[in-house]
Amino acid sequence: MAEIKDPENTIIMTLKDGDVVIALLPDVAPKHSERMKELARAGAYDNVCFHRVIEGFMAQSGDVENGNMENNFNLRRAGTGGSDLPDLPAEFSKLPHDRGTLGAARSQNPNSANSQFFINFKDNHFLNGQYTVYGRVISGMEHVDKIMRGEPPANPDRMIKVVVAADVA
């Protein structure tokens, strides 16, 4: 596992193949970083599926309303919801959508991001300036690469547990 320099702004996401460590970027996207920590601390991301996983592009998850595979799960609805918190304003930056960056998923409205996010499988610079970048995988990208593909996948993978590193004893 990578050295964690700022535990308060680091997410540990447990997948079936191992832990993915994500450094949040609160200096770049403070509202998005704070939202991810808030939902992680509430346990809202636990058991949420990866509902849209496109080979050579990205893996999307975070629909805490419809994507929890242990609570009223409906794969057809996964990806259509968010959380009960208000949508976030865009926090666009000059950071590129490189392999392993975390981007805020949203509708066509730039200010509609809520709880959903995606992890880029490769450099996707065509997204630059259009979607908020608010984190970067610092270890475990090999586990992200193994997430089941599909839109939606027939047997989706899930985030087993998502925690803020500062909260882990």
Side-chain angles (χ1 to χ4, degrees), residues 49-83:
C49 74
F50 283 90
H51 64 270
R52 184 169 177 246
V53 186
I54 303 171
E55 181 65 39
F57 181 31
M58 58 87 216
Q60 185 171 334
S61 183
D63 181 349
V64 301
E65 182 179 2
N66 301 309
N68 186 328
M69 296 176 74
E70 302 294 323
N71 184 14
N72 299 320
F73 181 61
N74 180 337
L75 185 55
R76 282 182 296 225
R77 301 253 326 128
T80 63
S83 73

Side-chain angles (χ1 to χ4, degrees), residues 8-79:
E8 179 57 30
N9 289 298
T10 303
I11 295 291
I12 301 171
M13 175 188 301
T14 302
L15 302 181
K16 71 181 186 317
D17 293 304
D19 287 343
V20 178
V21 181
I22 299 167
L24 296 176
L25 303 169
D27 295 347
V28 175
K31 290 178 174 62
H32 287 76
S33 297
E34 193 57 41
R35 173 65 53 86
M36 183 157 217
K37 292 190 301 184
E38 182 177 359
L39 292 172
R41 286 188 162 127
Y45 283 131
D46 297 354
N47 293 305
V48 172
C49 74
F50 283 90
H51 64 270
R52 184 169 177 246
V53 186
I54 303 171
E55 181 65 39
F57 181 31
M58 58 87 216
Q60 185 171 334
S61 183
D63 181 349
V64 301
E65 182 179 2
N66 301 309
N68 186 328
M69 296 176 74
E70 302 294 323
N71 184 14
N72 299 320
F73 181 61
N74 180 337
L75 185 55
R76 282 182 296 225
R77 301 253 326 128

Side-chain angles (χ1 to χ4, degrees), residues 47-146:
N47 293 305
V48 172
C49 74
F50 283 90
H51 64 270
R52 184 169 177 246
V53 186
I54 303 171
E55 181 65 39
F57 181 31
M58 58 87 216
Q60 185 171 334
S61 183
D63 181 349
V64 301
E65 182 179 2
N66 301 309
N68 186 328
M69 296 176 74
E70 302 294 323
N71 184 14
N72 299 320
F73 181 61
N74 180 337
L75 185 55
R76 282 182 296 225
R77 301 253 326 128
T80 63
S83 73
D84 56 3
L85 300 169
D87 288 348
L88 296 167
E91 294 178 298
F92 298 153
S93 70
K94 299 276 189 222
L95 283 181
H97 282 267
D98 288 340
R99 173 174 164 76
T101 54
L102 192 75
R106 61 172 178 78
S107 69
Q108 289 190 342
N109 177 347
N111 301 312
S112 64
N114 189 295
S115 62
Q116 292 189 47
F117 61 89
F118 57 91
I119 301 172
N120 289 294
F121 286 133
K122 68 177 191 86
D123 293 353
N124 289 312
H125 293 170
F126 67 94
L127 300 174
N128 293 354
Q130 299 178 61
Y131 292 84
T132 300
V133 175
Y134 65 103
R136 179 175 288 116
V137 173
I138 57 173
S139 78
M141 192 62 194
E142 69 275 15
H143 307 313
V144 174
D145 288 334
K146 293 178 185 173

